[in-house]
Amino acid sequence: MTELMTEPVSEREPAFWYLIPHGYMQLDLNPPVERIEALARQILSLPDEMRDRAEEVLRFYAGVVTSLNAHRVQACMVGSHPDDTGGIVFSVLTVSTVPTSGANAKLVIASLAGAAADNRDEGMRPLELPCGTGFLVEKKLRTTAPGRPPEGSDTPPQGEVWQGTVAVTGTGTPDIIMIQLVTASVELADDYRNILLGVAHTVTFTDPSLPEEGSSTDPEQWSATASVRSDFG
């Protein structure tokens, strides 16, 4: 686990750690210039019939990365899991930070958790997590679906997704941590809710690489601690 130290202390994001669930692959949100240049060279060397499609994919990836960085996303993971019919279902898990504009983040979370307790029928409910109080919001949304518009139409295809979001903060942390999971497999919402809550329960604001007080054991040897991932990579 390595924290990026390129920014001044006052400008760095708050440090927090969490477990990445099985079946999720993390996207590189800060690819080095050399890698992008190498991809561009590979695309230019492709046959004409493949080059346009490859360029489209690269532009899409660049647009996604730019958008995620603009929204303070610290990590984005794509999950793939087998379903009951032998197929594969996909989901996207993101972890981001939301500034509270000078307000006390813990008081903001407590207020929203209280509102969640009064709005359970709207898909909101408070959570008591190991790292502190938080809340869960879940909803079904109509959104643009992958693929080309139907023939004769300029309107992109639409589809329904399930979206679950957990918000939490910690002592000394000026921002709210948002963990969000989105999937088009709406019928599997219960399973994905369990994944989301499982990740939320692993969030910690204490560096797991540090030995516990009174312990001389190397924490890197602990299987659970060794698998905890930092928001910095």
Side-chain angles (χ1 to χ4, degrees), residues 25-32 35-36 61 65 68-69 76:
M25 179 184 69
Q26 188 161 343
L27 298 181
D28 188 351
L29 299 183
N30 293 286
R35 184 182 303 171
I36 299 299
Y61 172 64
V65 169
L68 292 176
N69 285 324
C76 177

Side-chain angles (χ1 to χ4, degrees), residues 190-211:
D190 291 343
D191 296 324
Y192 281 109
R193 183 188 308 109
N194 288 336
I195 293 175
L196 176 63
L197 293 176
V199 175
H201 275 79
T202 70
V203 172
T204 177
F205 296 92
T206 301
D207 188 344
S209 68
L210 299 177

Side-chain angles (χ1 to χ4, degrees), residues 81-89:
H81 300 87
D83 61 14
D84 294 336
T85 65
I88 299 293
V89 294

Side-chain angles (χ1 to χ4, degrees), residues 119-130:
N119 291 276
R120 290 176 179 267
D121 291 340
E122 297 181 17
M124 301 177 64
R125 62 185 173 98
L127 296 174
E128 286 300 328
L129 301 168

Side-chain angles (χ1 to χ4, degrees), residues 66-67 91 126 144 153 163:
T66 300
S67 177
S91 60
T144 302
S153 172
Q163 174 184 290

Side-chain angles (χ1 to χ4, degrees), residues 161-232:
V161 300
W162 176 86
Q163 174 184 290
T165 306
V166 169
V168 70
T169 192
T171 301
T173 300
D175 294 340
I176 294 173
I177 311 305
M178 305 289 286
I179 307 168
Q180 187 172 91
L181 184 58
V182 179
T183 180
S185 301
V186 177
E187 70 281 3
L188 299 177
D190 291 343
D191 296 324
Y192 281 109
R193 183 188 308 109
N194 288 336
I195 293 175
L196 176 63
L197 293 176
V199 175
H201 275 79
T202 70
V203 172
T204 177
F205 296 92
T206 301
D207 188 344
S209 68
L210 299 177
E212 293 183 359
E213 186 176 352
S215 172
S216 60
T217 304
D218 181 0
E220 292 299 326
Q221 296 177 355
W222 302 345
S223 59
T225 302
S227 60
V228 171
R229 310 298 178 88
S230 167
D231 61 310
F232 295 107

